[in-house]
C-alpha cells in the first residue's frame, strides 16, 4: 500500500481533492484532480433513506434504536457506534457498540449469504458508553468504554461466550483498537484533548489477559520518529496513564484506528487530522490535515475509520456534512456518501462485509437528534477490490 502524504490540496470545487507533499520534504503537488473524480464519482440525489450515493450503489435500513431488528424479536440498542464484520459460514455478522451510559454494551446482527437478516442478539451488557473498538485476528470484538478509567471488553460476535474485561489493556477513556498481527500488538486511541496513542503487547498473542501497555514517545512536531515506553501503572490510578511517561506524545481527541500492511492510521477529532504511523521505519506523519487544505477538501469532523482491500480508507464524519469520505492510495480525498436531514447526528461504525461488497454504518442519533433515534444502514455496490 502506498504511503499517503496528504498535506497540500488542489482546490476542486469542494467535490474531491488530490493532495501531496510532506512537511519535511517541502511542497510537492499532485496533479490536479477534477470535481467529482473520486474513485466512485459524484454523489446522486437522496434516495428513499435520505442517503446520497454514487451511481451503482443502493442503501437499506438494517435496524433502528428501540425497534425489532428485521423479523427477529431483538430490540436494537440506542446510540449505535463502532462496529465490525465477521465471516459466518457463507454469511456474516455485523457487531455494533452502544454509546450510552450506563448500560452501553454491544449487539450483533447475523446475515445469510444473500444478505437476509437471520438473527440479532446481545453480546455485551452492563458496561458504560461503549464507543469504538476493534476486531482481533482470532475473531473477537474489542468493545471500548469511552469514560474515565474505562475498560476494554473482549466479546464473542456469535454470542456463545461471555464477554471478558481486559484490565491489562489499561484504564483510560478508550476509543478504538486495531490489531497488528505482524508485531503482535493492539493499538489503542484515547479520547481526551491531551490523549495518548498506546499499544498493548500481550504476553501471548491471542490471549489479552496479560501483557505490557506502552505509549508512543515522540516530539511535538507533526512528523518524525517515535519509540514506545512502558506505562508503569496501566490501572490509571492515582496517576492517569497519559501522564505517567515523560515525553509521551499528546494527541487532541483520539478516535478511529485502522491497521493494514505495516501501517496504522488513527484520527484526532480535536484538530481534524488523520495520522499515519509507518511501522517499518518507526516514523509518523500526517495523512490528512484539514487546516492545511484550507477547508476545501470534503472531509470534516474525522471520526471512525476503516479500510478496504483496495487500500482505500473510509472515514466517517462526526457532524461535518454527515459524510463518509474516502482517502485513496493515490492521494485523493472524496465524498463517498452523505446523509441528508440528520445534521444533529454523527456517522459511526463503518465496516465492510467480508467479501467487500457491502458497507455497514450508523447514524447515531438519526433524524431526532436523540440517542434513541439511531439508525443502522447497509450500502451495497461496486466497491473497489
Amino acid at each position: 500500500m502506498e504511503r499517503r502524504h496528504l498535506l497540500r490540496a488542489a482546490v476542486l470545487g469542494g467535490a474531491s481533492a488530490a493532495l501531496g507533499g510532506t512537511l519535511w520534504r517541502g511542497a510537492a503537488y499532485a496533479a490536479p484532480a477534477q470535481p467529482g473524480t473520486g474513485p466512485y464519482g459524484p454523489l446522486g440525489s437522496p434516495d428513499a433513506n435520505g442517503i446520497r450515493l454514487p451511481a451503482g450503489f443502493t442503501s437499506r435500513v438494517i435496524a433502528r434504536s428501540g425497534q425489532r431488528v428485521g423479523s427477529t424479536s431483538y430490540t436494537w440498542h440506542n446510540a449505535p457506534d463502532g462496529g465490525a464484520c465477521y465471516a459466518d459460514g457463507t454469511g456474516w455478522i455485523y457487531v455494533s457498540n452502544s454509546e450510552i451510559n450506563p448500560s452501553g454494551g454491544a449487539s450483533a446482527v447475523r446475515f445469510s449469504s444473500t444478505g437476509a437478516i437471520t438473527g440479532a442478539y446481545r453480546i455485551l451488557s452492563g458496561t458504560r458508553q461503549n464507543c469504538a473498538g476493534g476486531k482481533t485476528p482470532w475473531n473477537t470484538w474489542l468493545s471500548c468504554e469511552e469514560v474515565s478509567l474505562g475498560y476494554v471488553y473482549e466479546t464473542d460476535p456469535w454470542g456463545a461466550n461471555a464477554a471478558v474485561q481486559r484490565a491489562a489493556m489499561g484504564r483510560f477513556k478508550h476509543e478504538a483498537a486495531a490489531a497488528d498481527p505482524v508485531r503482535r500488538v493492539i493499538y489503542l486511541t484515547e479520547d481526551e484533548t491531551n490523549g495518548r496513542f498506546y499499544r498493548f503487547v500481550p504476553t501471548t498473542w491471542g490471549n489479552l489477559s496479560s501483557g505490557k501497555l506502552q505509549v508512543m514517545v515522540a516530539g511535538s512536531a507533526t512528523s518524525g520518529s517515535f519509540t514506545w515506553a512502558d506505562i508503569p501503572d496501566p490501572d490509571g490510578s492515582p496517576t492517569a496513564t497519559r501522564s505517567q511517561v515523560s515525553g509521551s506524545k499528546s494527541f487532541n481527541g483520539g478516535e478511529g484506528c485502522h491497521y493494514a500492511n505495516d501501517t496504522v492510521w488513527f484520527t484526532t477529532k480535536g484538530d481534524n487530522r488523520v495520522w499515519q504511523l509507518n511501522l517499518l521505519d518507526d516514523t509518523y506523519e500526517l495523512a490528512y490535515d484539514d487546516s492545511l487544505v484550507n477547508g476545501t477538501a470534503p472531509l470534516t469532523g474525522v471520526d471512525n475509520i476503516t479500510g478496504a482491500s483496495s487500500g482505500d480508507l473510509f472515514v466517517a464524519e462526526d457532524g461535518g456534512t454527515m459524510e463518509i469520505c474516502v482517502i485513496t492510495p493515490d492521494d485523493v480525498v472524496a465524498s463517498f456518501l452523505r446523509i441528508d436531514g440528520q445534521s444533529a447526528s454523527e456517522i459511526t461504525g463503518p465496516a465492510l462485509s467480508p467479501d467487500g461488497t457491502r458497507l455497514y454504518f450508523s447514524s447515531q442519533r438519526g433524524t431526532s437528534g436523540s440517542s434513541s433515534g439511531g439508525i443502522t444502514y447497509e450500502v451495497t455496490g461496486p466497491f473497489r477490490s
Side-chain angles (χ1 to χ4, degrees):
M1 184 182 299
E2 298 179 32
R3 289 187 179 181
R4 295 167 171 82
H5 306 297
L6 310 183
L7 302 181
R8 293 181 181 270
V11 180
L12 303 168
S16 63
L19 308 165
T22 67
L23 289 176
W24 65 92
R25 294 177 188 168
Y29 292 93
Q34 298 301 315
T37 57
Y40 296 104
L43 304 184
S45 300
D47 65 10
N49 298 315
I51 300 180
R52 296 176 181 266
L53 293 162
F57 289 86
T58 58
S59 76
R60 67 167 171 160
V61 173
I62 296 303
R64 294 180 183 271
S65 296
Q67 298 184 23
R68 292 182 177 181
V69 180
S71 60
T72 74
S73 61
Y74 185 74
T75 300
W76 197 236
H77 55 260
N78 289 347
D81 207 285
C85 282
Y86 298 80
D88 179 40
T90 58
W92 59 92
I93 293 169
Y94 176 67
V95 300
S96 171
N97 281 343
S98 175
E99 196 188 11
I100 58 174
N101 189 4
S103 304
S107 304
V109 182
R110 180 177 278 129
F111 300 88
S112 72
S113 59
T114 62
I117 295 172
T118 60
Y121 45 90
R122 196 77 169 174
I123 62 172
L124 177 64
S125 299
T127 55
R128 304 168 296 161
Q129 202 162 323
N130 296 76
C131 196
K135 180 179 179 179
T136 69
W138 49 93
N139 285 325
T140 58
W141 168 245
L142 301 179
S143 184
C144 298
E145 289 185 312
E146 189 197 359
V147 295
S148 179
L149 298 180
Y151 286 103
V152 174
Y153 289 84
E154 187 170 15
T155 68
D156 177 11
W158 286 262
N161 300 305
V164 180
Q165 186 184 91
R166 295 304 189 190
M169 299 183 77
R171 297 193 66 188
F172 52 88
K173 190 180 278 190
H174 284 276
E175 185 69 33
D180 177 350
V182 177
R183 289 148 204 88
R184 299 189 168 190
V185 301
I186 308 288
Y187 302 103
L188 301 160
T189 57
E190 181 179 25
D191 193 358
E192 300 275 8
T193 56
N194 61 340
R196 299 301 194 261
F197 189 72
Y198 304 89
R199 73 175 187 180
F200 179 67
V201 187
T203 303
T204 302
W205 185 236
N207 183 343
L208 303 179
S209 62
S210 66
K212 296 185 295 184
L213 181 67
Q214 299 181 324
V215 67
M216 179 180 168
V217 175
S220 60
T222 53
S223 63
S225 60
F226 68 89
T227 58
W228 299 100
D230 292 350
I231 295 288
D233 298 305
D235 64 359
S237 180
T239 303
T241 54
R242 63 185 179 277
S243 301
Q244 292 183 21
V245 174
S246 177
S248 61
K249 185 169 180 60
S250 176
F251 293 97
N252 189 352
E255 290 285 341
C257 192
H258 175 69
Y259 168 86
N261 300 330
D262 298 311
T263 306
V264 61
W265 294 269
F266 64 96
T267 64
T268 50
K269 66 181 180 184
D271 46 19
N272 210 39
R273 289 170 166 173
V274 181
W275 297 83
Q276 174 178 317
L277 269 61
N278 308 307
L279 301 169
L280 293 178
D281 59 8
D282 291 333
T283 61
Y284 70 96
E285 58 190 301
L286 287 172
Y288 175 82
D289 185 352
D290 182 62
S291 69
L292 292 178
V293 298
N294 299 315
T296 57
L299 178 58
T300 58
V302 299
D303 203 310
N304 291 170
I305 184 170
T306 193
S309 59
S310 61
D312 292 336
L313 298 176
F314 290 89
V315 186
E317 291 186 340
D318 180 349
T321 52
M322 284 292 288
E323 292 186 343
I324 293 179
C325 292
V326 61
I327 302 178
T328 72
D330 55 349
D331 293 348
V332 172
V333 181
S335 303
F336 172 71
L337 66 80
R338 181 187 306 150
I339 304 176
D340 279 6
Q342 300 185 31
S343 59
S345 187
E346 62 184 276
I347 297 180
T348 59
L352 288 157
S353 60
D355 66 359
T357 64
R358 303 170 191 247
L359 177 68
Y360 295 92
F361 61 94
S362 296
S363 171
Q364 189 178 81
R365 297 178 292 280
T367 57
S368 70
S370 167
S371 63
S372 61
I375 309 171
T376 299
Y377 300 97
E378 173 195 86
V379 164
T380 303
F383 288 94
R384 306 203 302 175
S385 59

XYZ file of all heavy atoms in Angstrom, residues 8 11 60 128 150 169 191-192 206 212 221 233 237 241-242 245 252 265 268-269 291 303 314 321 339 362 365 373:
225
model
N -1.160 19.014 1.154
C -1.447 20.203 0.362
C -2.573 19.858 -0.597
O -2.647 18.763 -1.121
C -0.214 20.691 -0.412
C 0.889 21.217 0.504
C 2.060 21.711 -0.306
N 3.108 22.184 0.579
C 3.201 23.439 1.024
N 2.303 24.317 0.685
N 4.190 23.793 1.810
N -7.591 22.972 -5.061
C -8.974 23.348 -4.792
C -9.829 22.926 -5.978
O -9.622 23.376 -7.094
C -9.099 24.865 -4.563
C -10.546 25.242 -4.291
C -8.231 25.281 -3.394
N -30.084 0.393 2.383
C -31.270 -0.083 3.097
C -31.035 0.108 4.593
O -29.887 0.171 5.061
C -31.583 -1.545 2.796
C -30.554 -2.548 3.304
C -31.094 -3.970 3.249
N -30.055 -4.960 3.529
C -30.292 -6.221 3.913
N -31.536 -6.633 4.063
N -29.299 -7.053 4.139
N -20.307 0.769 30.153
C -20.603 2.190 30.070
C -20.077 2.808 28.781
O -18.915 2.681 28.467
C -19.976 2.932 31.257
C -20.370 2.415 32.630
C -19.472 3.018 33.704
N -18.079 2.610 33.537
C -17.036 3.246 34.088
N -17.235 4.334 34.803
N -15.811 2.801 33.897
N -12.043 3.850 31.921
C -12.808 2.835 31.209
C -11.980 1.606 30.892
O -10.742 1.639 30.892
N -5.155 -4.092 29.488
C -5.066 -3.169 28.361
C -5.210 -1.715 28.786
O -5.242 -0.813 27.952
C -6.111 -3.527 27.307
C -5.923 -4.932 26.748
S -7.080 -5.370 25.437
C -6.364 -4.476 24.053
N -9.629 9.178 23.903
C -10.426 10.347 23.567
C -10.367 11.399 24.666
O -11.313 11.598 25.430
C -11.876 9.939 23.292
C -12.664 11.060 22.639
O -12.100 12.151 22.438
O -13.849 10.855 22.342
N -9.224 12.061 24.752
C -9.001 13.207 25.640
C -8.349 14.297 24.811
O -7.673 14.016 23.814
C -8.068 12.839 26.800
C -8.565 11.723 27.709
C -9.492 12.243 28.816
O -9.864 13.439 28.765
O -9.825 11.458 29.712
N -2.934 -13.647 21.064
C -4.213 -14.348 21.079
C -4.825 -14.441 22.455
O -5.961 -14.892 22.602
N 2.018 -5.965 28.362
C 2.535 -4.626 28.664
C 1.738 -3.582 27.899
O 1.512 -3.725 26.696
C 4.012 -4.521 28.270
C 4.952 -5.417 29.046
C 6.393 -5.140 28.659
C 6.659 -5.493 27.207
N 8.100 -5.309 26.852
N 6.367 17.856 16.999
C 6.159 18.120 15.581
C 5.094 17.184 15.008
O 4.697 16.199 15.636
C 7.469 17.959 14.815
N 1.782 2.043 35.484
C 0.549 1.646 36.172
C -0.631 1.711 35.202
O -1.323 2.733 35.119
C 0.283 2.565 37.362
C 1.388 2.467 38.399
O 1.673 1.352 38.856
O 1.961 3.530 38.730
N -4.530 4.859 38.076
C -4.860 5.470 39.370
C -3.704 5.239 40.344
O -3.196 4.124 40.441
C -6.143 4.839 39.930
O -6.489 5.396 41.170
N -2.906 7.350 32.912
C -1.902 6.729 32.045
C -1.233 7.758 31.138
O -0.031 7.659 30.866
C -2.544 5.628 31.192
O -3.673 6.174 30.484
C -3.004 4.461 32.054
N -1.974 8.758 30.685
C -1.411 9.737 29.758
C -0.394 10.658 30.417
O 0.327 11.384 29.723
C -2.524 10.565 29.115
C -3.337 11.408 30.062
C -4.495 12.098 29.340
N -5.310 12.911 30.234
C -6.292 12.441 31.000
N -6.563 11.139 30.990
N -6.982 13.240 31.774
N 4.345 8.897 31.558
C 5.626 8.776 30.851
C 6.039 10.130 30.289
O 5.347 10.704 29.438
C 5.536 7.734 29.721
C 6.833 7.720 28.901
C 5.253 6.348 30.298
N -4.912 15.324 20.193
C -6.133 16.054 20.548
C -7.385 15.250 20.174
O -7.953 15.409 19.102
C -6.145 17.416 19.850
C -7.263 18.306 20.348
O -8.119 17.887 21.103
N -7.245 19.556 19.914
N -3.257 3.828 10.923
C -3.830 5.165 10.818
C -4.751 5.396 12.005
O -5.473 4.488 12.433
C -4.652 5.332 9.543
C -3.864 5.268 8.275
C -3.278 6.299 7.593
C -3.586 4.096 7.485
N -2.656 5.852 6.456
C -2.823 4.501 6.362
C -3.915 2.740 7.621
C -2.399 3.603 5.386
C -3.480 1.844 6.664
C -2.729 2.279 5.563
N -7.814 12.158 14.909
C -7.954 13.026 16.086
C -8.981 14.099 15.756
O -8.769 14.925 14.869
C -6.608 13.651 16.489
O -5.969 14.246 15.354
C -5.685 12.593 17.083
N -10.090 14.077 16.495
C -11.213 14.960 16.163
C -10.957 16.403 16.578
O -11.523 17.327 15.982
C -12.485 14.450 16.830
C -12.466 14.508 18.358
C -13.747 13.956 18.944
C -13.708 14.018 20.474
N -14.908 13.407 21.085
N -6.600 21.707 8.335
C -6.109 23.086 8.362
C -5.172 23.367 7.199
O -5.050 24.509 6.755
C -5.394 23.366 9.685
O -4.173 22.634 9.772
N -13.672 10.905 12.380
C -14.066 10.037 13.492
C -13.659 8.598 13.184
O -12.492 8.329 12.958
C -15.578 10.171 13.739
C -15.972 9.771 15.157
O -15.560 8.690 15.607
O -16.690 10.526 15.823
N -11.945 4.565 4.529
C -13.257 5.193 4.659
C -13.318 5.861 6.027
O -13.152 5.198 7.058
C -14.373 4.159 4.509
C -14.516 3.635 3.104
C -13.798 2.526 2.682
C -15.361 4.267 2.204
C -13.921 2.047 1.387
C -15.491 3.804 0.900
C -14.771 2.684 0.492
N -20.627 17.424 7.316
C -21.776 17.369 6.419
C -22.378 15.976 6.392
O -23.042 15.591 5.426
C -21.387 17.814 4.996
O -20.244 17.064 4.574
C -21.056 19.290 4.963
N -25.557 11.708 4.289
C -26.905 11.548 4.827
C -27.536 12.925 4.960
O -27.000 13.799 5.638
C -26.888 10.854 6.199
C -26.163 9.505 6.115
C -28.305 10.655 6.713
C -26.022 8.809 7.453
N -23.765 3.486 10.980
C -24.943 4.007 11.666
C -24.951 5.521 11.669
O -23.907 6.174 11.601
C -24.986 3.507 13.122
O -25.140 2.105 13.186
N -27.759 9.274 16.053
C -28.961 9.899 16.618
C -30.054 10.142 15.587
O -31.096 10.702 15.909
C -28.565 11.214 17.314
C -27.629 10.989 18.499
C -27.187 12.288 19.153
N -26.326 13.085 18.299
C -25.017 12.866 18.135
N -24.418 11.858 18.769
N -24.291 13.645 17.362
N -32.798 7.562 18.680
C -33.179 7.651 17.275
C -32.169 7.063 16.318
O -32.222 7.340 15.108
